[in-house]
Amino acid sequence: MLRSYFYSLYQYLLLFGICANGLPTSQVPISAPPVLSLNRTVSKELFYELEELARIVDISYCVGTIGIQKPFLCASRCQEFPGFELVTTWNTGPLLADSCGYIAVSHFPSPKRIIVAFRGTYSVANTIIDLSTIPQEYAPYPGEEGLSTPSESIADPLWRPQKHVRRITGAVEDKCDNCTVHLGFMTSWRQTRAEILPHLEEAIKKYSDYQLTLVGHSLGGAVAALASLEFKARGWNPKVTTFGEPRIGNQPLMKYMDDRFLPSGEDESAAMYRRVTHVDDPVPLLPLEEWGYKMHAGEVFISKPELSPSVSDVQHCEGDEDPQCITGGDSTSMAPADNEIGKWLEHANLTEIWSDGARVLAIPARYKLWQLFFAHRDYFWRLGLCVPGGDPWDWYREYPNNGTDEL
């Protein structure tokens, strides 16, 4: 019996590896079930859908400049979408938390959609300063229900609605434990929702069989991300695409997003959220992980540095931060104030705004300031200029029939 006891103990020790040198060489660990790898190749249908959405969000750069007029007229690419009907535009102002964009209804021959397009910022200085903002606690809808006026939000970005504020009936109270969000992005969304919710509710009621579609570029991608969480909680089931979206919050918030847009076990290639990144774009790597910010899933990565990409240059990514995608170059290096960005800030007379005299900038090694003007704008087309045909860089660039001959 004693021999049986020691034999059982020996087997126990082998099973749990309680040995100074780990498992014996003769012991074969129990292997986990094989994990099916992600099919990284994007379909032609998705490729041309993303290309079209890039042109749709490019039109948003007319808001705040030349403008967009009804039925759907502008100095940019509006004529490329004859089935679009403009609902409204919004422009919350020129400050750091500014937000611009438009709502349009997409009729035949385009797919039936209610489109909300969020413009990025025109100011590179605003971009860099905004990305340094300290995070705040995130409270999911309807916990933050209620809208401030633009003047209230600007005066106090941490403004909270009072008890008398109207709440939407039927909304489910939700929790996001330990979630934090970028203050500037959240302030921008609070101001935006005051402008768009009445129009959006009316459009959804009128076109109940149309797909709610959100698209944003740059900081507009961050606002679209926060809008998508509220719209999802409202039961509107939005389909979201962002280009060059920055990090918006911490790991608990990213898990909260993943749970809603990519439930466990679902194929990422069929996700309702596509976060498109580009190999040389520094913005998806900001704000830095060292500041408490992380990425969420749904990434679609463009690996070709220059325009124009082909289907083979675009791939699905796995998980929140796939090392084969944009995160692959996100190593960090500490740099003093006289580095590349510091010199630029000094030249732009922004040193006092950026530095408090003690802060040391930690930036990704691959970060190149000039890529804000190129790679950050290069998503199928060069985005960000409201002129006929888009940026002159694109005037002689075409995608063949949007793939209709090949599909």
Side-chain angles (χ1 to χ4, degrees), residues 51-69:
E51 180 275 319
E52 182 198 46
L53 287 167
R55 287 183 285 131
I56 289 173
V57 78
D58 193 28
I59 294 172
S60 68
Y61 282 89
C62 292
V63 181
T65 55
I66 300 174
I68 307 175
Q69 290 76 41

Side-chain angles (χ1 to χ4, degrees), residues 97 136 153 157-158 182-192:
Q136 71 166 94
S153 289
L158 291 173
H182 185 282
L183 172 60
F185 301 157
M186 194 65 195
T187 302
S188 185
W189 165 232
R190 286 182 186 138
Q191 295 184 140
T192 300

Side-chain angles (χ1 to χ4, degrees), residues 98-131:
D98 67 331
S99 175
C100 295
Y102 68 90
I103 301 174
V105 180
S106 165
H107 304 292
F108 181 83
S110 297
K112 296 193 296 185
R113 296 167 294 186
I114 299 171
I115 294 172
V116 187
F118 299 84
R119 197 202 78 183
T121 180
Y122 271 114
S123 171
V124 177
N126 286 4
T127 302
I128 295 177
I129 295 170
D130 259 0
L131 290 174

Side-chain angles (χ1 to χ4, degrees), residues 109 129 137 159 243 310 402:
I129 295 170
E137 180 183 357
W159 177 86
F243 300 93
S310 63
N402 286 347

Side-chain angles (χ1 to χ4, degrees), residues 67-86:
I68 307 175
Q69 290 76 41
K70 292 183 177 182
F72 194 69
L73 304 172
C74 67
S76 181
R77 302 178 179 274
C78 291
Q79 73 278 6
E80 299 174 19
F81 300 96
F84 277 32
E85 174 190 352
L86 180 66

